[in-house]
Amino acid sequence: MAEASASAAQGSVPTLPAEDRIRETAKWLTVSLAAVGGLVVTGTQFSNLGAVHVGSPRFWVIVISAALAAGGTGLILAGAVKTATTEPVKLSDFTDKGWAQDMALQEGIEGGAPALAKIYKEALDRREQTYHEYVDDNENQLKLRQSERAEARALQLAYIVRNVSRVASYEKVANQWKRSTRMVFWGSVAALLGILAFIWAINPPAAVKASEASPAVVGQVASRMLTLEPAGQRALAKALGQDCKVGQPLEVVHLAKTDTGPDVLVQQDGCKQVRLIITASWGHLQEPAPTLPAQETPKPAPSP
């Protein structure tokens, strides 16, 4: 009977409901993070990822933002997992600080929680000793009473140890959760910024797509004349230079078509070579006037 009581007293201690709620919150946070991550991945358009050129500014934004999002997600998971997997408090973990110390003193244990751990171990050893002494001499009533007193003392201390352990375990989990919430907060900020930057980088506007396109893949180029509208003249006068006559048709190289407008490179004498996306409100392209071949002087007909 004494051996069974000792085993039960030293077994797992039921946790407080408040501790269970903290652990469940950490588990729920981990599952929710996985669900949100799945929604973000499925809702992101990755079709434009192949159009991003290696070494371009957007390429490095993608690399840095992906690393930032991964690091933030890992920080959130680390905080949640640390809380959910916090080990229960053992007798050797009792200290003279915190709620466990206060409860041990309230139970009348001089020296508090550390002294309780020592007294409880001594009580278990004493119970074991008196039990075996009584077994060896079961006719001795004195040894029987000593064994019963040792059993009662061990059970009394086991009850106190159980309560103190539950409080100490809750305090340990609560303190870990406080540290984890800071990790979760900063991890969430990093992950959010990384995700937003990643989505922005792989989904550039049409004008940016055309401007970042390599000359080797824009298609066949052609020479055109660009006529600027008043709005285009005002917007591009500074970029094209003071000597550029923006009110007259400008010679340009038509590089590609985009959803926003034609992608052109200005080649007009007196104007700076600038690559532009021309919207409908800025101007329009015209075919250059054909160059007429020089008229040949008619040859005299041979005399008969």
Side-chain angles (χ1 to χ4, degrees), residues 31-45:
V31 175
S32 300
L33 177 65
V36 172
L39 290 176
V40 171
V41 171
T42 55
T44 303
Q45 296 292 336

Side-chain angles (χ1 to χ4, degrees), residues 25-63:
T25 300
K27 294 177 183 177
W28 174 85
L29 180 63
T30 305
V31 175
S32 300
L33 177 65
V36 172
L39 290 176
V40 171
V41 171
T42 55
T44 303
Q45 296 292 336
F46 291 96
S47 58
N48 296 328
L49 190 58
V52 178
H53 301 285
V54 177
S56 66
R58 286 183 178 266
F59 169 79
W60 292 114
V61 171
I62 290 175
V63 172

Side-chain angles (χ1 to χ4, degrees), residues 223-227 249-252 268 284-289:
S223 178
R224 296 286 188 271
M225 299 303 294
L226 170 63
T227 300
L250 306 178
E251 183 179 357
V252 299
Q268 181 68 35
H284 59 276
L285 296 180
Q286 298 176 352
E287 295 286 345

Side-chain angles (χ1 to χ4, degrees), residues 38-296:
L39 290 176
V40 171
V41 171
T42 55
T44 303
Q45 296 292 336
F46 291 96
S47 58
N48 296 328
L49 190 58
V52 178
H53 301 285
V54 177
S56 66
R58 286 183 178 266
F59 169 79
W60 292 114
V61 171
I62 290 175
V63 172
I64 296 173
S65 61
L68 184 63
T73 303
L75 195 62
I76 297 173
L77 287 175
V81 171
K82 280 185 177 181
T83 301
T85 59
T86 302
E87 296 183 355
V89 174
K90 302 177 183 178
L91 286 175
S92 57
D93 299 330
F94 285 177
T95 63
D96 58 353
K97 298 179 181 179
W99 301 336
Q101 171 72 0
D102 296 339
M103 174 163 282
L105 292 174
Q106 291 175 5
E107 293 288 347
I109 305 298
E110 295 183 3
L116 173 61
K118 181 179 179 181
I119 295 172
Y120 181 57
K121 291 179 181 179
E122 293 175 352
L124 292 178
D125 294 338
R126 176 61 180 169
R127 182 181 65 174
E128 189 76 13
Q129 178 185 353
T130 56
Y131 173 77
H132 287 294
E133 289 177 355
Y134 171 69
V135 170
D136 294 338
D137 187 7
N138 55 17
E139 298 295 333
N140 192 326
Q141 295 299 314
L142 177 60
K143 293 184 178 180
L144 173 61
R145 288 191 295 270
Q146 290 175 346
S147 177
E148 291 175 345
R149 285 196 297 268
E151 174 74 14
R153 178 58 175 168
L155 291 177
Q156 178 191 15
L157 291 174
Y159 176 79
I160 298 175
V161 167
R162 174 182 175 181
N163 292 336
V164 173
S165 297
R166 295 177 71 185
V167 172
S169 181
Y170 167 72
E171 185 178 16
K172 183 179 180 180
V173 173
N175 290 335
Q176 177 59 52
W177 179 240
K178 289 180 181 179
R179 293 189 294 269
S180 296
T181 51
R182 291 191 287 269
M183 297 173 61
V184 170
F185 173 77
W186 290 114
S188 301
V189 172
L192 179 61
L193 293 177
I195 291 172
L196 292 177
F198 183 85
I199 294 175
W200 172 83
I202 66 173
N203 294 283
V208 178
K209 292 181 185 178
S211 297
E212 288 187 349
S214 170
V217 296
V218 295
Q220 185 177 2
V221 299
S223 178
R224 296 286 188 271
M225 299 303 294
L226 170 63
T227 300
L228 294 176
E229 301 292 340
Q233 296 175 17
R234 292 191 298 270
L236 300 175
K238 184 176 181 180
L240 294 174
Q242 296 179 353
D243 298 333
C244 185
K245 299 178 180 180
V246 294
Q248 300 179 4
L250 306 178
E251 183 179 357
V252 299
V253 176
H254 186 194
L255 300 177
K257 294 180 180 179
T258 70
D259 295 336
T260 305
D263 183 5
V264 301
L265 178 64
V266 178
Q267 296 287 296
Q268 181 68 35
D269 292 338
C271 300
K272 295 181 180 179
Q273 288 189 347
V274 181
R275 188 172 182 177
L276 307 169
I277 301 295
I278 303 300
T279 62
S281 61
W282 278 11
H284 59 276
L285 296 180
Q286 298 176 352
E287 295 286 345
T291 302
L292 298 178
Q295 295 183 354
E296 296 182 357

